[in-house]
Amino acid sequence: MPTMSAWRWNICTPSSMTLTYIFHSGFVLETERSILVFDYWLDPSGVMDGGLQSEKPMYVFSSHFHEDHFTKEIFEWKKQREGITYILSKDIYKHRRASKEDADVWLAKGGTWSDGTISVWALGSTDSGVSWIVETEGKRIFHAGDLNNWYAKFLTDDNPDQQRYSFEMEEIFNPIAHEKQFLGELKDIRKVADSFDVVMFPIDGRVGNGYTLGGRQFIERFKVGLFVPMHFVASGFESSWRMKEFTDVKGIPFWEITREGESIEI
């Protein structure tokens, strides 16, 4: 996999950016030269209305086929404006959620793409699809998709190295093996980059005890400029703020999102 330096272009100084929370794991990042949309699903506050009126090039990312991270509605945007590039995980096509011609770029883990405005790396996940590294205008962004230590609460069991069944996830798993997979994915990410200006990462209270563990393991291994929680809709905004006590210890800014449509300057 190419290193960051292999893909970097000449930039004088990083530009300012605005990150807006759409819903669940969906965000819009507006830069001076482009608009990036991550894992759009629902838009209760109409965030995309403004983005679709912009003349800036738009890049639309979907990390995997699950309905809370991907919807075919994104393809309707092509009828409203030009200049949209769709960058989708290959599992969306594999699961027949979209046709091959729907996306401009299909990526699986290890895939890379660049057009001179943005550079993209597809990394691994502990669920379906990929996580994303995007570098643009002097800033490096990470969107985890569904990469997380999802079964952290079972690691405190007397025998965590045994098969379990999760009613929430509706699957059989081994907590120790799953954590090893997660930590292995983090090692692979570090082969590409060890620091990010912005990290969007699942902090989902439905996981149960230890639901911040994946986020904590991430910030222990990477330098993070801003930590942004996501995937917390069912457990509430406040539930994600628990992660702040851990980012505070490391001196990492944390975005306490309070509503859909809220924005922060980066």
Side-chain angles (χ1 to χ4, degrees):
M1 182 181 295
T3 62
M4 281 291 175
S5 58
W7 281 74
R8 195 183 301 277
W9 57 91
N10 292 326
I11 300 173
C12 294
T13 56
S15 60
S16 62
M17 302 180 177
T18 301
L19 184 65
T20 302
Y21 173 65
I22 305 176
F23 185 75
H24 195 58
S25 297
F27 294 87
V28 174
L29 179 67
E30 182 170 4
T31 77
E32 291 184 1
R33 294 192 290 173
S34 63
I35 296 174
L36 284 61
V37 183
F38 293 95
D39 281 16
Y40 178 91
W41 174 31
L42 300 173
D43 187 7
S45 62
V47 170
M48 288 305 300
D49 293 345
L52 293 172
Q53 296 298 317
S54 174
E55 295 182 356
K56 295 179 182 179
M58 178 180 287
Y59 300 88
V60 179
F61 296 84
S62 295
S63 64
H64 60 289
F65 78 98
H66 292 167
E67 65 178 8
D68 58 338
H69 292 258
F70 168 77
T71 171
K72 291 184 178 180
E73 183 182 339
I74 60 176
F75 303 130
E76 295 297 312
W77 298 344
K78 291 185 291 186
K79 300 175 182 178
Q80 301 180 48
R81 55 158 289 173
E82 298 179 346
I84 302 179
T85 300
Y86 293 93
I87 305 170
L88 307 186
S89 169
K90 282 187 176 179
D91 76 303
I92 295 171
Y93 175 63
K94 178 181 177 181
H95 286 86
R96 299 181 181 180
R97 293 292 311 281
S99 301
K100 192 170 185 179
E101 60 271 16
D102 285 330
D104 301 281
V105 183
W106 292 101
L107 293 178
K109 180 182 177 180
T112 59
W113 181 82
S114 179
D115 68 350
T117 299
I118 70 171
S119 290
V120 181
W121 292 256
L123 283 304
S125 178
T126 45
D127 202 331
S128 191
V130 301
S131 52
W132 301 112
I133 295 176
V134 182
E135 188 171 284
T136 185
E137 299 176 44
K139 285 189 168 61
R140 188 179 300 152
I141 314 301
F142 182 77
H143 187 285
D146 263 356
L147 172 69
N148 197 6
N149 193 342
W150 289 111
Y151 302 115
K153 73 175 182 179
F154 296 96
L155 295 172
T156 59
D157 289 355
D158 292 336
N159 296 298
D161 196 16
Q162 293 183 358
Q163 297 281 49
R164 296 285 190 275
Y165 180 79
S166 170
F167 290 96
E168 295 88 354
M169 304 296 181
E170 297 182 346
E171 65 180 3
I172 298 173
F173 62 93
N174 179 302
I176 294 293
H178 183 270
E179 182 175 57
K180 287 181 179 178
Q181 181 194 359
F182 173 67
L183 297 179
E185 298 295 353
L186 297 189
K187 286 184 179 179
D188 288 343
I189 294 168
R190 278 189 61 89
K191 294 174 184 177
V192 179
D194 62 2
S195 64
F196 300 98
D197 295 282
V198 181
V199 168
M200 291 163 272
F201 196 91
I203 303 295
D204 190 336
R206 296 176 302 168
V207 171
N209 292 337
Y211 70 91
T212 61
L213 180 59
R216 285 183 277 142
Q217 290 170 321
F218 191 96
I219 64 174
E220 287 169 358
R221 290 162 174 79
F222 297 90
K223 183 178 178 181
V224 177
L226 173 66
F227 190 97
V228 180
M230 65 182 190
H231 214 283
F232 51 73
V233 170
S235 53
F237 288 97
E238 293 85 354
S239 68
S240 69
W241 302 347
R242 184 183 175 196
M243 184 66 194
K244 187 176 185 299
E245 65 183 271
F246 303 105
T247 56
D248 282 351
V249 169
K250 291 189 168 290
I252 299 171
F254 179 89
W255 185 13
E256 295 181 55
I257 302 173
T258 61
R259 59 179 175 82
E260 291 87 5
E262 188 173 0
S263 297
I264 188 170
E265 295 296 319
I266 300 170

